[in-house]
Amino acid sequence: MARASASDRLGEHTPDPPCWRCGAQPAAESLACAACGAPAPPRPGLNAFERLGLPVAFAQPAGAIRDARRARLLAIHPDRYVKSEETARAYSLAHAVAINDAARAIEQPYERVSYLMSLRAADAPRSMDPDDWQAVHELKLTLRELDHTDAHVERSRIARGVAEQYERGLVEVGAALDAGDVPPGDLMPKVTLLRALRSVLEAVQA
């Protein structure tokens, strides 16, 4: 699970320096100099959403993360700078790595929820509510019992139920994060439950 680093926290940005090649002042959030085309160094302090030019939110239009990644890679891909100076090649490669890492960090719904939580509630306790813990524990016990019997139908039924609870929980936590009406720390037990449900789902589908 990708987590935001301290430099990825919301609002901790540094100004872009002038172009290293021609000295022109860069446009806001530009990947390359508008005057000479030299790739700018990747901006420090951007979180994964900002790195891709996306709103910092769980809800993203279908294909938005994939399309943002593709568009940014096309604009700054190392293949465009194979005959340029060593600095240009190094910066374009650094951009490509940062863009790909950002997309991987938030592409999947669970990773996106976890990343948002690491931005907004990095120090919140990660304990699960006792009732949820007991429910997950009982599910795991049931799965262990089913391992010793020919119980494909029962395993499928459990998988469907866990998947429905998992998907519903992702949507609820994501919506709460976007609305901002629940303190992120209060959502951490639900995120911990989602992680447990995902582990159960992986086990029951194995």
Side-chain angles (χ1 to χ4, degrees):
M1 178 183 70
R3 293 186 58 77
S5 67
S7 62
D8 292 335
R9 302 289 180 246
L10 294 171
E12 298 182 16
H13 302 160
T14 57
D16 290 336
C19 175
W20 56 271
R21 180 191 282 167
C22 71
Q25 287 299 126
E29 300 185 16
S30 60
L31 299 179
C33 177
C36 71
R43 291 185 70 196
L46 294 184
N47 62 54
F49 297 92
E50 294 165 334
R51 185 74 63 192
L52 296 171
L54 297 169
V56 182
F58 174 78
Q60 300 288 338
I65 295 171
R66 181 197 63 230
D67 293 345
R69 172 184 174 275
R70 181 183 296 124
R72 295 203 165 219
L73 285 177
L74 284 174
I76 201 72
H77 198 278
D79 288 351
R80 297 170 61 95
Y81 299 97
V82 291
K83 297 182 179 179
S84 298
E85 309 96 319
E86 182 179 352
T87 300
R89 296 197 302 273
Y91 283 159
S92 64
L93 179 59
H95 272 292
V97 171
I99 290 165
N100 281 321
D101 286 349
R104 279 192 292 270
I106 63 173
E107 186 172 16
Q108 299 302 320
Y110 175 78
E111 278 68 26
R112 193 152 66 246
V113 160
S114 298
Y115 191 88
L116 283 166
M117 290 295 295
S118 69
L119 288 176
R120 299 176 182 176
D123 301 322
R126 301 178 183 279
S127 59
M128 199 187 309
D129 288 338
D131 289 346
D132 290 333
W133 186 91
Q134 183 63 30
V136 170
H137 179 65
E138 290 174 359
L139 271 173
K140 290 181 177 180
L141 289 177
T142 301
L143 287 176
R144 290 194 190 101
E145 293 173 0
L146 292 176
D147 284 340
H148 302 291
T149 62
D150 184 11
H152 176 73
V153 173
E154 181 64 11
R155 290 178 70 88
S156 297
R157 185 190 67 78
I158 293 174
R160 286 195 301 272
V162 173
E164 290 172 1
Q165 185 180 0
Y166 175 71
E167 296 295 337
R168 186 168 60 249
L170 279 174
V171 171
E172 290 174 356
V173 173
L177 282 168
D178 288 354
D181 53 3
V182 179
D186 292 351
L187 292 173
M188 188 59 77
K190 295 183 181 298
V191 176
T192 305
L193 171 61
L194 289 174
R195 183 165 62 248
L197 288 174
R198 188 167 73 162
S199 70
V200 170
L201 193 58
E202 290 169 351
V204 79
Q205 292 176 338

